[in-house]
Amino acid sequence: MRFLLIVFFFSTIVGHTQNSISLDACYEGLKANYPLAKQGAILEQQNTAELSAITSKTLPQFNLDAQATYQSEVTEVPIPNGDINSLNNDQYRTTLTANQLLYNGGRIKASQQLQNSSTQRKQQEVEVNLYQLKQRVNQLYFSILLIDDQLLLLNAEKEQLNSTLNEVKSGVKNGVLLPTSDKVIEAELLKITQQYKEATNTKSKLITSLSTLIGVTLNTETSFQKPFLSIVETKDLNRPELSLFNLKKQEIEQQQNLLSKAIAPAVNAFATGGLGNPGLNFLENDFSAYYIVGLKLNWNVFDWNGNKKQRQALNFSKELISNQEDVFRLNTNTSLHEQQKEIETLESNMAIDQQLISLQQEVVRTFDAQLKNGVITTSQYIIELTKLFEAENQFNQHKTQLELAKANYNTLKGDLN
């Protein structure tokens, strides 16, 4: 039911946002459309079938047997002149037996609990695998945003150079600037065109990968919304892997519970109806019907502590899982610390980037005036203009990387909305 609600919710969103998509919508698309997500419904159906098979053991069990035999010898009664006919060498028997479980120490219920626990563990494994793909979504999404910023800067640089080119051509025509000054700018414009095509091709590849991953049709016209994330400071992790560790322990506990029930006695009622020649009276040499009813007790009273040792071995399995959880927490907290340091470094770099941009803007303004007056060459101007756009590109790159670092931090922490 929960899976269907997610699919419905996401399909509603996508229906209105095909031309615009957010990071959260990509997360929902991953969870709803990635092929791995379908395993949840399959596991639920499998669990229903398994539980039905276990429950059927509480219902009467019927066995039909039939046999025809020929014996080289038959039982004879050693009474001289007795009026007892010898049995036939060919004998026939057909029986229908019904067995009804009356008591087995709770093994059926324990088996059902183990089956439910196993299914929950498998479903959580699917959740874990899907969650781990979110970092891949982060990388693709923010790489696309980074290229978008790069394309905007290339367009801005192109506009700036085109504007300067007109002024330079006027200066060349009037003899103020050297005849080849405009050619330098035109060459730079060709480089920008080349960079723009390369960036566009890279963006197209990234969009195709993201579209395939989340199951949503995207193209280069799709607008990718910029998220502005904040880090949620919590003391503990909220990762699905932690739930998986707990479910694994619970499954082991259910296995131990089932083993403890296995040493209890089992009591069955049975009824057998048959037709045979001979019947129960083996001295009657003819077909006759008969029946047998009774109770049957089955109890392994001594198993050399095999059951107990199996339960003890499962305790070690629980300890191994606890150790795996400790390792996971340690590694994740280490990664969180590294991610936090990266966030602090990027924030510091962005402050420096803004200072560099401000200083370089002053330099470009000065060189622009000098170029128009023929004091400097076009090449000198382009060098400083390129430095300005490189500084702006560096700032945008750090800004996008900062949001990616925050997204990865929240993904590591498990604090995703």
Side-chain angles (χ1 to χ4, degrees):
M1 184 65 181
R2 180 185 173 192
F3 173 77
L4 294 176
L5 287 174
I6 291 174
V7 174
F8 174 76
F9 173 75
F10 182 72
S11 62
T12 303
I13 292 177
V14 172
H16 295 85
T17 59
Q18 281 291 338
N19 295 323
S20 178
I21 194 166
S22 67
L23 181 60
D24 285 338
C26 289
Y27 290 152
E28 293 296 335
L30 176 68
K31 193 168 186 178
N33 297 307
Y34 195 71
L36 186 64
K38 297 178 182 178
Q39 290 188 11
I42 297 173
L43 287 171
E44 195 64 40
Q45 294 172 349
Q46 182 187 39
N47 188 50
T48 301
E50 293 285 358
L51 289 175
S52 179
I54 295 172
T55 303
S56 66
K57 295 179 181 179
T58 64
L59 302 175
Q61 308 294 312
F62 295 92
N63 293 299
L64 178 64
D65 292 305
Q67 71 174 26
T69 61
Y70 183 86
Q71 300 179 197
S72 60
E73 288 186 280
V74 294
T75 303
E76 295 181 356
V77 180
I79 301 176
N81 301 321
D83 190 19
I84 299 176
N85 296 327
S86 298
L87 295 176
N88 295 329
N89 292 77
D90 55 326
Q91 298 184 5
Y92 308 91
R93 177 170 297 184
T94 300
T95 60
L96 177 64
T97 302
N99 284 281
Q100 174 62 58
L101 177 66
L102 299 180
Y103 176 79
N104 68 348
R107 263 175 280 186
I108 298 295
K109 184 177 180 181
S111 296
Q112 291 172 330
Q113 291 172 339
L114 176 58
Q115 176 58 40
N116 283 326
S117 184
S118 176
T119 299
Q120 290 173 1
R121 186 258 305 164
K122 292 176 183 177
Q123 288 176 331
Q124 190 63 22
E125 286 176 347
V126 174
E127 290 294 323
V128 167
N129 291 331
L130 284 172
Y131 190 87
Q132 290 173 348
L133 287 171
K134 286 184 177 179
Q135 285 195 334
R136 174 64 175 158
V137 171
N138 290 344
Q139 194 64 46
L140 289 171
Y141 192 90
F142 284 98
S143 294
I144 293 169
L145 291 180
L146 197 61
I147 292 179
D148 280 342
D149 288 337
Q150 183 183 354
L151 293 174
L152 288 174
L153 281 174
L154 287 172
N155 278 327
E157 187 176 2
K158 184 178 180 180
E159 290 179 6
Q160 178 66 34
L161 286 173
N162 278 324
S163 176
T164 304
L165 179 61
N166 292 330
E167 296 176 355
V168 168
K169 283 183 176 181
S170 177
V172 170
K173 185 178 180 180
N174 296 325
V176 178
L177 299 175
L178 295 173
T180 58
S181 296
D182 57 335
K183 302 302 180 184
V184 175
I185 295 180
E186 289 175 354
E188 192 65 24
L189 284 168
L190 284 174
K191 289 180 183 178
I192 291 174
T193 301
Q194 186 181 48
Q195 291 172 359
Y196 194 93
K197 288 182 178 179
E198 289 175 354
T200 302
N201 289 336
T202 302
K203 179 182 176 181
S204 180
K205 293 177 184 177
L206 292 171
I207 289 175
T208 300
S209 296
L210 180 61
S211 178
T212 303
L213 192 61
I214 66 176
V216 179
T217 302
L218 305 171
N219 53 49
T220 53
E221 302 300 320
T222 302
S223 174
F224 292 83
Q225 301 173 20
K226 286 189 175 182
F228 296 97
L229 304 172
S230 59
I231 295 175
V232 181
E233 296 292 346
T234 56
K235 293 183 179 180
D236 203 4
L237 301 176
N238 190 30
R239 291 284 294 272
E241 289 89 343
L242 298 178
S243 296
L244 178 59
F245 289 132
N246 287 331
L247 287 172
K248 284 182 175 180
K249 292 176 187 177
Q250 291 175 19
E251 184 178 9
I252 290 175
E253 289 171 357
Q254 294 300 336
Q255 290 174 342
Q256 290 176 315
N257 181 46
L258 180 59
L259 283 172
S260 69
K261 306 295 183 184
I263 60 177
V267 179
N268 288 271
F270 68 91
T272 300
L275 177 66
N277 181 5
L280 293 182
N281 183 1
F282 69 93
L283 297 179
E284 184 178 353
N285 195 18
D286 198 2
F287 281 94
S288 63
Y290 61 91
Y291 70 89
I292 302 172
V293 295
L295 296 175
K296 182 179 180 181
L297 172 68
N298 184 13
W299 188 10
N300 184 4
V301 294
F302 188 70
D303 67 345
W304 303 96
N305 285 328
N307 187 286
K308 181 179 179 181
K309 292 174 182 176
Q310 283 182 292
R311 283 179 285 161
Q312 288 175 341
L314 287 173
N315 281 330
F316 292 112
S317 297
K318 286 176 65 177
E319 289 183 20
L320 285 173
I321 293 173
S322 295
N323 179 261
Q324 292 170 3
E325 181 178 352
D326 291 340
V327 171
F328 173 79
R329 286 181 179 274
L330 176 62
N331 290 339
T332 304
N333 285 323
T334 301
S335 298
L336 282 171
H337 179 72
E338 293 172 352
Q339 205 69 39
Q340 180 66 50
K341 290 298 180 183
E342 182 177 353
I343 290 171
E344 293 172 0
T345 300
L346 288 168
E347 289 174 338
S348 175
N349 287 338
M350 286 174 62
I352 297 174
D353 289 337
Q354 289 176 315
Q355 295 177 27
L356 288 172
I357 291 171
S358 179
L359 291 171
Q360 195 62 34
Q361 284 173 341
E362 294 182 14
V363 173
V364 170
R365 281 194 293 268
T366 300
F367 272 59
D368 183 60
Q370 292 176 345
L371 175 64
K372 293 175 182 176
N373 294 322
V375 177
I376 62 171
T377 64
T378 308
S379 297
Q380 290 174 307
Y381 170 76
I382 289 177
I383 289 173
E384 297 304 322
L385 182 64
T386 302
K387 287 181 181 178
L388 173 60
F389 281 103
E390 285 177 351
E392 290 178 339
N393 186 60
Q394 187 80 347
F395 173 75
N396 287 335
Q397 185 175 356
H398 286 157
K399 183 169 64 174
T400 302
Q401 287 175 343
L402 176 62
E403 295 303 314
L404 172 59
K406 290 179 180 179
N408 285 337
Y409 181 93
N410 288 340
T411 302
L412 283 168
K413 192 81 171 180
D415 294 315
L416 288 174
N417 295 328

